[in-house]
Amino acid sequence: DTGVSQNPRHKITKRGQNVTFRCDPISEHNRLYWYRQTLGQGPEFLTYFQNEAQLEKSRLLSDRFSAERPKGSFSTLEIQRTEQGDSAMYLCASTLGARDEQFFGPGTRLTVL
Amino acid sequence: GDSVTQMEGPVTLSEEAFLTINCTYTATGYPSLFWYVQYPGEGLQLLLKATKADDKGSNKGFEATYRKETTSFHLEKGSVQVSDSAVYFCALRDYGGSQGNLIFGKGTKLSVKP
């Protein structure tokens, strides 16, 4: 078990472009969370999946954001028409259940120019 | 809504000094409390946790006690090492909802000088 992985680790894009990030959770974990961390702040919850179902979305997740977990394994987070305010570290975490430890990936750092 | 407030950094200490990082929380239910650590270039790692009042979490020489009366979960270590240099995040998870997401403080950067 290699833990939670995220790709790419870094992404630089121009304003208005679409970007997609991938998260591969620990294989037996059925819950997957996305968080966003801006400079000098703690991570903020974006959305979570239980298996393939997206069960909760934060108000931070605007209409330009969409997340999927098609087979209950890996997940993707897409941002359409990126804005400079989207620049942040996007973190993925997985866990077996709501009360269990969340294991975090290394994050994808997005820079929007 | 639920929130976590932790002391702002950066904190700079000499090796073997005593460390305290203050953390207080606001929650409507009965949260579990956590300290996470983020070493340079690495992902967040759970350092310790406490799930109910008066519980003490401990790991790697760090300790924190869940104080319901003061709504606090301060992180302490008796003798810090250079390798403890990292960003420390206090967090809570409230089971009033079912999603189980974590709510984090802003983080405190610790630098330990030899």
Side-chain angles (χ1 to χ4, degrees):
Chain A
D1 185 0
T2 57
V4 179
S5 61
Q6 293 186 246
N7 288 287
R9 295 289 305 273
H10 303 274
K11 179 70 177 178
I12 300 174
T13 191
K14 292 182 179 179
R15 186 164 51 95
Q17 298 295 305
N18 299 344
V19 294
T20 300
F21 312 138
R22 176 177 170 128
C23 170
D24 287 89
I26 294 172
S27 58
E28 65 268 26
H29 286 181
N30 62 353
R31 281 184 175 234
L32 186 148
Y33 297 80
W34 285 99
Y35 295 85
R36 181 173 68 187
Q37 184 179 13
T38 53
L39 200 61
Q41 303 294 318
E44 296 173 293
F45 168 72
L46 291 178
T47 188
Y48 96 104
F49 292 83
Q50 184 163 331
N51 299 311
E52 67 276 8
Q54 187 175 16
L55 297 184
E56 185 76 19
K57 291 194 288 187
S58 160
R59 289 171 297 173
L60 292 175
L61 214 64
S62 77
D63 292 344
R64 296 182 297 104
F65 288 68
S66 63
E68 294 182 340
R69 195 182 183 199
K71 297 182 180 178
S73 58
F74 73 91
S75 176
T76 58
L77 178 67
E78 181 183 16
I79 309 174
Q80 296 183 326
R81 305 181 303 281
T82 53
E83 302 173 355
Q84 287 185 324
D86 298 331
S87 295
M89 177 76 85
Y90 290 84
L91 299 171
C92 174
S94 72
T95 185
L96 271 174
R99 295 173 183 263
D100 295 311
E101 177 183 348
Q102 292 187 18
F103 292 84
F104 283 82
T108 294
R109 180 169 295 285
L110 173 66
T111 302
V112 181
L113 302 175
Chain B
D2 295 353
S3 66
V4 174
T5 303
Q6 62 181 103
M7 64 184 282
E8 297 198 10
V11 174
T12 302
L13 295 173
S14 297
E15 205 164 23
E16 299 184 2
F18 183 85
L19 169 71
T20 299
I21 301 177
N22 290 338
C23 171
T24 57
Y25 68 90
T26 302
T28 52
Y30 299 93
S32 291
L33 302 174
F34 306 83
W35 278 99
Y36 278 80
V37 59
Q38 189 170 37
Y39 298 103
E42 298 184 17
L44 282 165
Q45 301 174 26
L46 178 63
L47 180 60
L48 54 84
K49 68 177 183 181
T51 58
K52 62 183 187 297
D54 299 325
D55 271 1
K56 177 185 282 188
S58 61
N59 186 26
K60 298 181 181 180
F62 291 88
E63 292 183 340
T65 301
Y66 189 142
R67 301 287 188 198
K68 191 167 183 289
E69 64 276 14
T70 54
T71 61
S72 65
F73 193 55
H74 304 321
L75 182 68
E76 296 182 336
K77 187 175 186 182
S79 177
V80 293
Q81 305 299 312
V82 172
S83 57
D84 294 325
S85 297
V87 182
Y88 293 82
F89 293 91
C90 185
L92 70 80
R93 191 165 67 203
D94 194 337
Y95 297 116
S98 61
Q99 60 265 32
N101 58 284
L102 293 160
I103 296 169
F104 289 88
K106 292 185 177 183
T108 302
K109 184 176 182 180
L110 170 67
S111 296
V112 181
K113 306 299 184 186

